Amino acid sequence: MKTRKAVKRQIRLAILSNAGGSGKTTAAVHLAYIVGVRGYKVTLIELDSNGSIQTFAGLPPATSEKSLAAVLKKNFNGNYPLVPLWSEHVSNVWAIQGGAPLRESVVEINNSERKSQTLRDRLEDYPLESDFVIFDTPASLDTMGLLALAACTHLLAPIKPEYKDTGSFVDLLNWYNEKIRELRLKPRPEILGFVPSRVDIGEEAIHRNLLGLTRQGKPNKKIPPEETLPFQIEQMGIHCFPLIRESSYYLWASGAGLPLHLYRPGCPFIEDFQPLVDAVEKLMTE
Amino acid sequence: MPAKKPASISQMFAPASQNQEVLQLQDRVEELEDELRQLRSQELDSNIKEALEEQIQELAQQLAQQGGEHQVPLEQIQPDPEQPRTVFPATVIQARAKSLREKGQHSPIILIPQAENSYKLFDGELRWRSASQAGLTKLRAVFLTQEALDKLDKAAIFDRQLTTSLQSEKLHPFDLANGLVKLMVIRYPQLNEQVRAIPSLLNAIIQRLRRSKGIAELEEIAIADRDTQQEWIEKVCISDTERWILEVILSKQLNPVSINSNVFTLLNLPDDLQSVIRTDGLEGSKVLELKKISGKNLNVDEEAATELRTKLTNEVVQQGLSLDKIRSRVKEILRTQRDSEQPPKPVDISQRLLSIPKQLKRAKVWEDTKKRQKLEKLLNELEGLLL
């Protein structure tokens, strides 16, 4: 299935959302896998001290020396602690694990000279030999969110189409607009788009309403467009990707430490990621 | 008790959208301030500077009204045929592509929306030409409406485009030549009727100054303030046309002597040479050398001359020939062409006359009585002509 095209530039995608349970790690893991299957070199960097990647990829917890904490240390020498992911199936997907050791990094970063520019500096001083780098972040925009923002070329915001998540997304946009200026990021990271995640339009009326869809997934003309998320978001010049459906299969797959593609090949849900993967591939190769 | 209505999505987004707009406007104001700072640091005369600031302020207002930056796909953008800058050599494009790739797009390009999904460039052609090489598919842009543009003073806009081009990148003398002529016509529409004569009019002024030894002052006048320039122009010019021409050149703080010999000589070039300047940025001095391969100089028709010239031009571009090399190649071509012509006949009357005494001597015409009589008769006729 390798369809690798010539890569023109490295894309570093930060998956950001300040709402918990919006499907960040699910998106990060599946993007890493699918882009890897297409033949590109992928590195998944976990900035979350919860260490969910270890579950999603069936890895043992990382020690401080074998985690992102080592990269963020002052004396880092370019030797990235890369762990291969799903190595029986793909040979070009790696991770730098986060987890518990990152709790100390937060203090260290805030006391350091370059603060939130630290990860950006590392990746600039010691470029990763990857076509695609993904930052999986915790559900807060504090230290680790800033670290990811400063180091990425693009942002992706998964949002569960619910009120709480919508409020968080508005905060995220304000935060983004202010921080890219405050941090004087040049070039500024771009918002690749928002992607409605964990959507169940069959069961959840609120998902249907906020996305302006009928139960069949068609546009619902009774809902005024300005009261839907995609309309408002596109008004701000941000691309809206097709939705990613909620499925308990993701939960089972994560328990097995596999992407859904390997856990349940042929499952129709895996198609949901294609538009995202296509967009990333386009950025890398065009 | 009626159920409380859920929050309105549009209300939730309103503050974020306002915030974004305000911040983007701040960005633009900063950029414009930057631009102004740069312009102020240049030694421009006060009138131009004022006009420029006015233009930029108008621009800022326009952009504020339009609100927002846009990502515009490269294929929806068309260049502006009116741009003073037309020379974009591959090396310059490569350099800009590198900086776009490494440092990103510093400021938005300015576009004029045309039909749907179609935009004309107002500012940023080099960035547009370099973007695809930098791996970009879109550029950040702000929009100027045609309506707003119509309100702006065309002359001032062109003036500004020319000035910014002069300052930001080295404008190729070819573009400078065309730009100056255009600016003259915009400022003084009366010149439109004698556009083609402008180079020779300037040349006449320069020759006159050379004779009156006024030429040495020009270097200083070129960088003097506007009033001093005006005074000097009044003193040396004998017609309005001359005044207009000099005024425009001096207002750009350029020396008319070098414009005359290095810049205006590039006007009215044959098409093939114009196009090699545009695509390869070939230096003016080399182009002028190549221009010597003409139908007139070779005594052949223009088509044949163009063929010879194009062949050498290709070599020049591909092998990066030096000016010296080009010079000797051009000489060689001119010489071989002449040699291959019919047995050399003296071309004009004066040469024929000059060669006659020698030939008469060699033929010893006077030893033959018949010939001698005929010669005497011819000489009498000749002398009769002179009476």
PDB file of all heavy atoms in Angstrom, chain A residues 163 166-167 169-170 174 177-178 181 188 210 226-227 229 232-233 236 286, chain B residues 6-10 12-13 16-17 19-20 23-24 27 103-104 135 137:
ATOM      1  N   TYR A 163     -21.575  21.524  23.697  1.00  0.00           N
ATOM      2  CA  TYR A 163     -21.421  22.911  24.146  1.00  0.00           C
ATOM      3  C   TYR A 163     -20.107  23.160  24.880  1.00  0.00           C
ATOM      4  O   TYR A 163     -19.418  24.140  24.641  1.00  0.00           O
ATOM      5  CB  TYR A 163     -22.615  23.342  25.006  1.00  0.00           C
ATOM      6  CG  TYR A 163     -23.822  23.619  24.153  1.00  0.00           C
ATOM      7  CD1 TYR A 163     -24.891  22.734  24.120  1.00  0.00           C
ATOM      8  CD2 TYR A 163     -23.868  24.746  23.346  1.00  0.00           C
ATOM      9  CE1 TYR A 163     -25.990  22.966  23.309  1.00  0.00           C
ATOM     10  CE2 TYR A 163     -24.958  24.996  22.533  1.00  0.00           C
ATOM     11  CZ  TYR A 163     -26.017  24.106  22.516  1.00  0.00           C
ATOM     12  OH  TYR A 163     -27.088  24.343  21.701  1.00  0.00           O
ATOM     13  N   THR A 166     -17.332  23.275  22.478  1.00  0.00           N
ATOM     14  CA  THR A 166     -17.396  24.461  21.632  1.00  0.00           C
ATOM     15  C   THR A 166     -16.801  25.656  22.369  1.00  0.00           C
ATOM     16  O   THR A 166     -15.999  26.418  21.816  1.00  0.00           O
ATOM     17  CB  THR A 166     -18.852  24.762  21.237  1.00  0.00           C
ATOM     18  OG1 THR A 166     -19.376  23.618  20.589  1.00  0.00           O
ATOM     19  CG2 THR A 166     -18.928  25.958  20.314  1.00  0.00           C
ATOM     20  N   GLY A 167     -17.186  25.795  23.641  1.00  0.00           N
ATOM     21  CA  GLY A 167     -16.624  26.871  24.463  1.00  0.00           C
ATOM     22  C   GLY A 167     -15.114  26.760  24.528  1.00  0.00           C
ATOM     23  O   GLY A 167     -14.390  27.755  24.363  1.00  0.00           O
ATOM     24  N   PHE A 169     -13.193  25.370  22.362  1.00  0.00           N
ATOM     25  CA  PHE A 169     -12.616  25.649  21.056  1.00  0.00           C
ATOM     26  C   PHE A 169     -12.488  27.152  20.821  1.00  0.00           C
ATOM     27  O   PHE A 169     -11.486  27.627  20.283  1.00  0.00           O
ATOM     28  CB  PHE A 169     -13.472  25.004  19.958  1.00  0.00           C
ATOM     29  CG  PHE A 169     -12.952  25.259  18.575  1.00  0.00           C
ATOM     30  CD1 PHE A 169     -11.717  24.764  18.176  1.00  0.00           C
ATOM     31  CD2 PHE A 169     -13.679  26.014  17.661  1.00  0.00           C
ATOM     32  CE1 PHE A 169     -11.223  25.012  16.903  1.00  0.00           C
ATOM     33  CE2 PHE A 169     -13.187  26.267  16.386  1.00  0.00           C
ATOM     34  CZ  PHE A 169     -11.961  25.768  16.019  1.00  0.00           C
ATOM     35  N   VAL A 170     -13.500  27.907  21.257  1.00  0.00           N
ATOM     36  CA  VAL A 170     -13.427  29.371  21.146  1.00  0.00           C
ATOM     37  C   VAL A 170     -12.218  29.880  21.933  1.00  0.00           C
ATOM     38  O   VAL A 170     -11.458  30.727  21.450  1.00  0.00           O
ATOM     39  CB  VAL A 170     -14.743  30.014  21.637  1.00  0.00           C
ATOM     40  CG1 VAL A 170     -14.595  31.521  21.749  1.00  0.00           C
ATOM     41  CG2 VAL A 170     -15.883  29.666  20.691  1.00  0.00           C
ATOM     42  N   ASN A 174      -8.821  31.979  20.516  1.00  0.00           N
ATOM     43  CA  ASN A 174      -8.282  33.209  21.120  1.00  0.00           C
ATOM     44  C   ASN A 174      -6.843  33.007  21.556  1.00  0.00           C
ATOM     45  O   ASN A 174      -5.986  33.865  21.337  1.00  0.00           O
ATOM     46  CB  ASN A 174      -9.126  33.621  22.328  1.00  0.00           C
ATOM     47  CG  ASN A 174     -10.445  34.235  21.891  1.00  0.00           C
ATOM     48  OD1 ASN A 174     -10.539  34.797  20.795  1.00  0.00           O
ATOM     49  ND2 ASN A 174     -11.460  34.112  22.718  1.00  0.00           N
ATOM     50  N   ASN A 177      -4.559  32.929  18.480  1.00  0.00           N
ATOM     51  CA  ASN A 177      -4.347  34.256  17.898  1.00  0.00           C
ATOM     52  C   ASN A 177      -3.426  35.121  18.748  1.00  0.00           C
ATOM     53  O   ASN A 177      -2.640  35.906  18.227  1.00  0.00           O
ATOM     54  CB  ASN A 177      -5.692  34.960  17.708  1.00  0.00           C
ATOM     55  CG  ASN A 177      -6.316  34.613  16.372  1.00  0.00           C
ATOM     56  OD1 ASN A 177      -5.613  34.591  15.361  1.00  0.00           O
ATOM     57  ND2 ASN A 177      -7.600  34.316  16.352  1.00  0.00           N
ATOM     58  N   GLU A 178      -3.544  34.972  20.059  1.00  0.00           N
ATOM     59  CA  GLU A 178      -2.687  35.787  20.923  1.00  0.00           C
ATOM     60  C   GLU A 178      -1.268  35.232  21.013  1.00  0.00           C
ATOM     61  O   GLU A 178      -0.291  35.973  20.946  1.00  0.00           O
ATOM     62  CB  GLU A 178      -3.301  35.902  22.323  1.00  0.00           C
ATOM     63  CG  GLU A 178      -4.334  37.010  22.378  1.00  0.00           C
ATOM     64  CD  GLU A 178      -5.371  36.813  23.473  1.00  0.00           C
ATOM     65  OE1 GLU A 178      -5.043  36.145  24.474  1.00  0.00           O
ATOM     66  OE2 GLU A 178      -6.497  37.321  23.302  1.00  0.00           O
ATOM     67  N   ARG A 181       1.368  35.639  18.216  1.00  0.00           N
ATOM     68  CA  ARG A 181       1.955  36.983  18.188  1.00  0.00           C
ATOM     69  C   ARG A 181       2.902  37.191  19.361  1.00  0.00           C
ATOM     70  O   ARG A 181       4.007  37.704  19.192  1.00  0.00           O
ATOM     71  CB  ARG A 181       0.842  38.023  18.187  1.00  0.00           C
ATOM     72  CG  ARG A 181       0.093  38.020  16.857  1.00  0.00           C
ATOM     73  CD  ARG A 181      -1.175  38.842  16.910  1.00  0.00           C
ATOM     74  NE  ARG A 181      -1.798  38.904  15.588  1.00  0.00           N
ATOM     75  CZ  ARG A 181      -2.640  37.987  15.122  1.00  0.00           C
ATOM     76  NH1 ARG A 181      -2.938  36.932  15.855  1.00  0.00           N
ATOM     77  NH2 ARG A 181      -3.153  38.112  13.922  1.00  0.00           N
ATOM     78  N   ARG A 188       4.388  31.686  11.103  1.00  0.00           N
ATOM     79  CA  ARG A 188       3.343  31.331  12.054  1.00  0.00           C
ATOM     80  C   ARG A 188       2.769  29.957  11.709  1.00  0.00           C
ATOM     81  O   ARG A 188       2.550  29.669  10.534  1.00  0.00           O
ATOM     82  CB  ARG A 188       2.223  32.358  11.991  1.00  0.00           C
ATOM     83  CG  ARG A 188       2.624  33.664  12.611  1.00  0.00           C
ATOM     84  CD  ARG A 188       1.516  34.670  12.455  1.00  0.00           C
ATOM     85  NE  ARG A 188       1.879  35.920  13.132  1.00  0.00           N
ATOM     86  CZ  ARG A 188       1.168  37.024  13.050  1.00  0.00           C
ATOM     87  NH1 ARG A 188       0.069  37.041  12.338  1.00  0.00           N
ATOM     88  NH2 ARG A 188       1.546  38.107  13.678  1.00  0.00           N
ATOM     89  N   LEU A 210     -25.565  20.673  16.438  1.00  0.00           N
ATOM     90  CA  LEU A 210     -24.403  21.557  16.334  1.00  0.00           C
ATOM     91  C   LEU A 210     -23.683  21.392  15.003  1.00  0.00           C
ATOM     92  O   LEU A 210     -22.954  22.284  14.571  1.00  0.00           O
ATOM     93  CB  LEU A 210     -23.436  21.332  17.499  1.00  0.00           C
ATOM     94  CG  LEU A 210     -23.954  21.738  18.885  1.00  0.00           C
ATOM     95  CD1 LEU A 210     -22.820  21.846  19.882  1.00  0.00           C
ATOM     96  CD2 LEU A 210     -24.718  23.057  18.840  1.00  0.00           C
ATOM     97  N   GLU A 226     -25.947  29.641  10.831  1.00  0.00           N
ATOM     98  CA  GLU A 226     -25.071  30.370  11.758  1.00  0.00           C
ATOM     99  C   GLU A 226     -25.097  29.768  13.163  1.00  0.00           C
ATOM    100  O   GLU A 226     -24.301  30.123  14.009  1.00  0.00           O
ATOM    101  CB  GLU A 226     -25.403  31.859  11.780  1.00  0.00           C
ATOM    102  CG  GLU A 226     -26.773  32.236  12.286  1.00  0.00           C
ATOM    103  CD  GLU A 226     -27.834  32.199  11.182  1.00  0.00           C
ATOM    104  OE1 GLU A 226     -27.567  31.631  10.103  1.00  0.00           O
ATOM    105  OE2 GLU A 226     -28.942  32.737  11.416  1.00  0.00           O
ATOM    106  N   GLU A 227     -26.027  28.845  13.388  1.00  0.00           N
ATOM    107  CA  GLU A 227     -26.039  28.183  14.693  1.00  0.00           C
ATOM    108  C   GLU A 227     -25.319  26.832  14.637  1.00  0.00           C
ATOM    109  O   GLU A 227     -25.467  26.001  15.521  1.00  0.00           O
ATOM    110  CB  GLU A 227     -27.480  28.008  15.195  1.00  0.00           C
ATOM    111  CG  GLU A 227     -28.149  29.318  15.607  1.00  0.00           C
ATOM    112  CD  GLU A 227     -27.355  30.080  16.682  1.00  0.00           C
ATOM    113  OE1 GLU A 227     -26.825  29.445  17.603  1.00  0.00           O
ATOM    114  OE2 GLU A 227     -27.245  31.332  16.559  1.00  0.00           O
ATOM    115  N   LEU A 229     -21.614  24.642  14.145  1.00  0.00           N
ATOM    116  CA  LEU A 229     -20.162  24.762  14.311  1.00  0.00           C
ATOM    117  C   LEU A 229     -19.415  24.953  12.994  1.00  0.00           C
ATOM    118  O   LEU A 229     -18.592  25.859  12.876  1.00  0.00           O
ATOM    119  CB  LEU A 229     -19.630  23.501  14.991  1.00  0.00           C
ATOM    120  CG  LEU A 229     -19.516  23.491  16.501  1.00  0.00           C
ATOM    121  CD1 LEU A 229     -19.103  22.103  16.949  1.00  0.00           C
ATOM    122  CD2 LEU A 229     -18.466  24.511  16.925  1.00  0.00           C
ATOM    123  N   GLN A 232     -19.720  28.568  11.642  1.00  0.00           N
ATOM    124  CA  GLN A 232     -19.008  29.570  12.431  1.00  0.00           C
ATOM    125  C   GLN A 232     -17.497  29.444  12.262  1.00  0.00           C
ATOM    126  O   GLN A 232     -16.769  30.433  12.184  1.00  0.00           O
ATOM    127  CB  GLN A 232     -19.373  29.437  13.918  1.00  0.00           C
ATOM    128  CG  GLN A 232     -20.751  29.962  14.270  1.00  0.00           C
ATOM    129  CD  GLN A 232     -20.868  31.466  14.053  1.00  0.00           C
ATOM    130  OE1 GLN A 232     -19.881  32.188  14.013  1.00  0.00           O
ATOM    131  NE2 GLN A 232     -22.096  31.942  13.874  1.00  0.00           N
ATOM    132  N   ILE A 233     -17.051  28.207  12.214  1.00  0.00           N
ATOM    133  CA  ILE A 233     -15.608  27.985  12.125  1.00  0.00           C
ATOM    134  C   ILE A 233     -15.089  28.395  10.743  1.00  0.00           C
ATOM    135  O   ILE A 233     -14.039  29.024  10.621  1.00  0.00           O
ATOM    136  CB  ILE A 233     -15.294  26.521  12.476  1.00  0.00           C
ATOM    137  CG1 ILE A 233     -15.520  26.320  13.976  1.00  0.00           C
ATOM    138  CG2 ILE A 233     -13.874  26.157  12.093  1.00  0.00           C
ATOM    139  CD1 ILE A 233     -15.473  24.914  14.452  1.00  0.00           C
ATOM    140  N   MET A 236     -14.456  31.973  10.200  1.00  0.00           N
ATOM    141  CA  MET A 236     -13.189  32.514  10.702  1.00  0.00           C
ATOM    142  C   MET A 236     -12.019  32.083   9.836  1.00  0.00           C
ATOM    143  O   MET A 236     -10.861  32.254  10.200  1.00  0.00           O
ATOM    144  CB  MET A 236     -12.978  32.067  12.146  1.00  0.00           C
ATOM    145  CG  MET A 236     -14.078  32.621  13.044  1.00  0.00           C
ATOM    146  SD  MET A 236     -13.742  32.428  14.789  1.00  0.00           S
ATOM    147  CE  MET A 236     -12.317  33.462  15.009  1.00  0.00           C
ATOM    148  N   GLU A 286       3.421  18.874  -1.767  1.00  0.00           N
ATOM    149  CA  GLU A 286       3.142  19.858  -2.832  1.00  0.00           C
ATOM    150  C   GLU A 286       3.791  21.195  -2.544  1.00  0.00           C
ATOM    151  O   GLU A 286       4.107  21.514  -1.419  1.00  0.00           O
ATOM    152  CB  GLU A 286       1.639  20.036  -2.998  1.00  0.00           C
ATOM    153  CG  GLU A 286       1.047  18.851  -3.729  1.00  0.00           C
ATOM    154  CD  GLU A 286      -0.437  19.039  -4.045  1.00  0.00           C
ATOM    155  OE1 GLU A 286      -0.970  20.132  -3.820  1.00  0.00           O
ATOM    156  OE2 GLU A 286      -1.043  18.067  -4.515  1.00  0.00           O
TER     157      GLU A 286
ATOM    158  N   PRO B   6     -30.796  26.522  25.124  1.00  0.00           N
ATOM    159  CA  PRO B   6     -29.340  26.328  25.127  1.00  0.00           C
ATOM    160  C   PRO B   6     -28.632  27.551  24.545  1.00  0.00           C
ATOM    161  O   PRO B   6     -29.237  28.363  23.848  1.00  0.00           O
ATOM    162  CB  PRO B   6     -29.133  25.105  24.244  1.00  0.00           C
ATOM    163  CG  PRO B   6     -30.364  24.989  23.426  1.00  0.00           C
ATOM    164  CD  PRO B   6     -31.473  25.596  24.216  1.00  0.00           C
ATOM    165  N   ALA B   7     -27.357  27.656  24.850  1.00  0.00           N
ATOM    166  CA  ALA B   7     -26.560  28.791  24.381  1.00  0.00           C
ATOM    167  C   ALA B   7     -26.562  28.856  22.860  1.00  0.00           C
ATOM    168  O   ALA B   7     -26.711  27.844  22.185  1.00  0.00           O
ATOM    169  CB  ALA B   7     -25.132  28.656  24.880  1.00  0.00           C
ATOM    170  N   SER B   8     -26.415  30.058  22.329  1.00  0.00           N
ATOM    171  CA  SER B   8     -26.366  30.197  20.878  1.00  0.00           C
ATOM    172  C   SER B   8     -24.918  30.087  20.400  1.00  0.00           C
ATOM    173  O   SER B   8     -24.023  30.732  20.941  1.00  0.00           O
ATOM    174  CB  SER B   8     -26.959  31.554  20.491  1.00  0.00           C
ATOM    175  OG  SER B   8     -26.294  32.052  19.363  1.00  0.00           O
ATOM    176  N   ILE B   9     -24.746  29.247  19.407  1.00  0.00           N
ATOM    177  CA  ILE B   9     -23.395  29.012  18.886  1.00  0.00           C
ATOM    178  C   ILE B   9     -22.813  30.310  18.320  1.00  0.00           C
ATOM    179  O   ILE B   9     -21.651  30.635  18.528  1.00  0.00           O
ATOM    180  CB  ILE B   9     -23.432  27.918  17.794  1.00  0.00           C
ATOM    181  CG1 ILE B   9     -23.792  26.567  18.421  1.00  0.00           C
ATOM    182  CG2 ILE B   9     -22.118  27.822  17.048  1.00  0.00           C
ATOM    183  CD1 ILE B   9     -22.712  25.936  19.243  1.00  0.00           C
ATOM    184  N   SER B  10     -23.665  31.068  17.609  1.00  0.00           N
ATOM    185  CA  SER B  10     -23.134  32.293  17.001  1.00  0.00           C
ATOM    186  C   SER B  10     -22.661  33.267  18.073  1.00  0.00           C
ATOM    187  O   SER B  10     -21.668  33.954  17.895  1.00  0.00           O
ATOM    188  CB  SER B  10     -24.183  32.942  16.091  1.00  0.00           C
ATOM    189  OG  SER B  10     -25.385  33.123  16.795  1.00  0.00           O
ATOM    190  N   MET B  12     -21.505  32.369  20.967  1.00  0.00           N
ATOM    191  CA  MET B  12     -20.264  31.839  21.537  1.00  0.00           C
ATOM    192  C   MET B  12     -19.064  32.244  20.679  1.00  0.00           C
ATOM    193  O   MET B  12     -17.971  32.484  21.179  1.00  0.00           O
ATOM    194  CB  MET B  12     -20.328  30.304  21.646  1.00  0.00           C
ATOM    195  CG  MET B  12     -21.273  29.812  22.738  1.00  0.00           C
ATOM    196  SD  MET B  12     -21.441  28.020  22.741  1.00  0.00           S
ATOM    197  CE  MET B  12     -20.079  27.532  23.782  1.00  0.00           C
ATOM    198  N   PHE B  13     -19.278  32.313  19.371  1.00  0.00           N
ATOM    199  CA  PHE B  13     -18.153  32.592  18.483  1.00  0.00           C
ATOM    200  C   PHE B  13     -17.861  34.071  18.298  1.00  0.00           C
ATOM    201  O   PHE B  13     -16.767  34.443  17.891  1.00  0.00           O
ATOM    202  CB  PHE B  13     -18.384  31.940  17.114  1.00  0.00           C
ATOM    203  CG  PHE B  13     -17.843  30.549  17.043  1.00  0.00           C
ATOM    204  CD1 PHE B  13     -18.618  29.462  17.440  1.00  0.00           C
ATOM    205  CD2 PHE B  13     -16.545  30.312  16.627  1.00  0.00           C
ATOM    206  CE1 PHE B  13     -18.116  28.177  17.403  1.00  0.00           C
ATOM    207  CE2 PHE B  13     -16.037  29.032  16.591  1.00  0.00           C
ATOM    208  CZ  PHE B  13     -16.823  27.959  16.981  1.00  0.00           C
ATOM    209  N   ALA B  16     -14.591  35.584  19.702  1.00  0.00           N
ATOM    210  CA  ALA B  16     -13.379  35.052  19.076  1.00  0.00           C
ATOM    211  C   ALA B  16     -13.176  35.668  17.712  1.00  0.00           C
ATOM    212  O   ALA B  16     -12.063  36.001  17.305  1.00  0.00           O
ATOM    213  CB  ALA B  16     -13.479  33.540  18.955  1.00  0.00           C
ATOM    214  N   SER B  17     -14.263  35.834  16.994  1.00  0.00           N
ATOM    215  CA  SER B  17     -14.157  36.362  15.646  1.00  0.00           C
ATOM    216  C   SER B  17     -13.759  37.839  15.675  1.00  0.00           C
ATOM    217  O   SER B  17     -12.939  38.296  14.875  1.00  0.00           O
ATOM    218  CB  SER B  17     -15.485  36.098  14.944  1.00  0.00           C
ATOM    219  OG  SER B  17     -15.788  37.095  14.069  1.00  0.00           O
ATOM    220  N   ASN B  19     -12.066  39.240  18.102  1.00  0.00           N
ATOM    221  CA  ASN B  19     -10.684  39.214  18.576  1.00  0.00           C
ATOM    222  C   ASN B  19      -9.723  38.974  17.411  1.00  0.00           C
ATOM    223  O   ASN B  19      -8.718  39.666  17.243  1.00  0.00           O
ATOM    224  CB  ASN B  19     -10.571  38.098  19.618  1.00  0.00           C
ATOM    225  CG  ASN B  19      -9.220  38.094  20.307  1.00  0.00           C
ATOM    226  OD1 ASN B  19      -8.568  39.132  20.358  1.00  0.00           O
ATOM    227  ND2 ASN B  19      -8.815  36.949  20.816  1.00  0.00           N
ATOM    228  N   GLN B  20     -10.090  37.982  16.589  1.00  0.00           N
ATOM    229  CA  GLN B  20      -9.219  37.645  15.458  1.00  0.00           C
ATOM    230  C   GLN B  20      -9.073  38.834  14.523  1.00  0.00           C
ATOM    231  O   GLN B  20      -7.987  39.153  14.055  1.00  0.00           O
ATOM    232  CB  GLN B  20      -9.801  36.445  14.712  1.00  0.00           C
ATOM    233  CG  GLN B  20      -8.992  36.061  13.488  1.00  0.00           C
ATOM    234  CD  GLN B  20      -9.427  34.710  12.930  1.00  0.00           C
ATOM    235  OE1 GLN B  20      -9.517  33.729  13.647  1.00  0.00           O
ATOM    236  NE2 GLN B  20      -9.695  34.669  11.644  1.00  0.00           N
ATOM    237  N   LEU B  23      -6.814  41.550  16.033  1.00  0.00           N
ATOM    238  CA  LEU B  23      -5.401  41.175  16.026  1.00  0.00           C
ATOM    239  C   LEU B  23      -4.820  41.240  14.618  1.00  0.00           C
ATOM    240  O   LEU B  23      -3.692  41.665  14.420  1.00  0.00           O
ATOM    241  CB  LEU B  23      -5.226  39.779  16.622  1.00  0.00           C
ATOM    242  CG  LEU B  23      -5.453  39.722  18.136  1.00  0.00           C
ATOM    243  CD1 LEU B  23      -5.545  38.291  18.611  1.00  0.00           C
ATOM    244  CD2 LEU B  23      -4.323  40.439  18.864  1.00  0.00           C
ATOM    245  N   GLN B  24      -5.614  40.818  13.643  1.00  0.00           N
ATOM    246  CA  GLN B  24      -5.101  40.859  12.270  1.00  0.00           C
ATOM    247  C   GLN B  24      -4.905  42.296  11.811  1.00  0.00           C
ATOM    248  O   GLN B  24      -3.976  42.608  11.081  1.00  0.00           O
ATOM    249  CB  GLN B  24      -6.039  40.101  11.333  1.00  0.00           C
ATOM    250  CG  GLN B  24      -5.843  38.601  11.478  1.00  0.00           C
ATOM    251  CD  GLN B  24      -6.841  37.802  10.675  1.00  0.00           C
ATOM    252  OE1 GLN B  24      -7.806  38.342  10.150  1.00  0.00           O
ATOM    253  NE2 GLN B  24      -6.613  36.502  10.580  1.00  0.00           N
ATOM    254  N   ASP B  27      -1.717  43.496  13.211  1.00  0.00           N
ATOM    255  CA  ASP B  27      -0.595  42.997  12.402  1.00  0.00           C
ATOM    256  C   ASP B  27      -0.329  43.925  11.239  1.00  0.00           C
ATOM    257  O   ASP B  27       0.792  44.289  10.936  1.00  0.00           O
ATOM    258  CB  ASP B  27      -0.927  41.621  11.802  1.00  0.00           C
ATOM    259  CG  ASP B  27      -0.848  40.533  12.842  1.00  0.00           C
ATOM    260  OD1 ASP B  27      -0.393  40.818  13.957  1.00  0.00           O
ATOM    261  OD2 ASP B  27      -1.254  39.404  12.532  1.00  0.00           O
ATOM    262  N   LYS B 103      11.919  31.148   6.001  1.00  0.00           N
ATOM    263  CA  LYS B 103      11.458  32.174   6.929  1.00  0.00           C
ATOM    264  C   LYS B 103       9.980  32.455   6.814  1.00  0.00           C
ATOM    265  O   LYS B 103       9.435  33.222   7.596  1.00  0.00           O
ATOM    266  CB  LYS B 103      12.250  33.467   6.688  1.00  0.00           C
ATOM    267  CG  LYS B 103      13.715  33.276   7.001  1.00  0.00           C
ATOM    268  CD  LYS B 103      14.494  34.535   6.749  1.00  0.00           C
ATOM    269  CE  LYS B 103      15.979  34.261   6.756  1.00  0.00           C
ATOM    270  NZ  LYS B 103      16.674  34.937   5.678  1.00  0.00           N
ATOM    271  N   GLY B 104       9.336  31.849   5.836  1.00  0.00           N
ATOM    272  CA  GLY B 104       7.908  32.073   5.689  1.00  0.00           C
ATOM    273  C   GLY B 104       7.619  33.384   4.998  1.00  0.00           C
ATOM    274  O   GLY B 104       8.523  34.123   4.648  1.00  0.00           O
ATOM    275  N   GLY B 135       7.260  25.398  -2.240  1.00  0.00           N
ATOM    276  CA  GLY B 135       6.356  24.366  -1.751  1.00  0.00           C
ATOM    277  C   GLY B 135       5.036  24.922  -1.250  1.00  0.00           C
ATOM    278  O   GLY B 135       4.273  24.230  -0.602  1.00  0.00           O
ATOM    279  N   THR B 137       1.204  26.436  -1.817  1.00  0.00           N
ATOM    280  CA  THR B 137       0.137  26.408  -2.811  1.00  0.00           C
ATOM    281  C   THR B 137      -0.715  27.661  -2.686  1.00  0.00           C
ATOM    282  O   THR B 137      -1.508  27.974  -3.547  1.00  0.00           O
ATOM    283  CB  THR B 137      -0.770  25.179  -2.624  1.00  0.00           C
ATOM    284  OG1 THR B 137      -1.247  25.184  -1.272  1.00  0.00           O
ATOM    285  CG2 THR B 137      -0.006  23.896  -2.882  1.00  0.00           C
TER     286      THR B 137
END
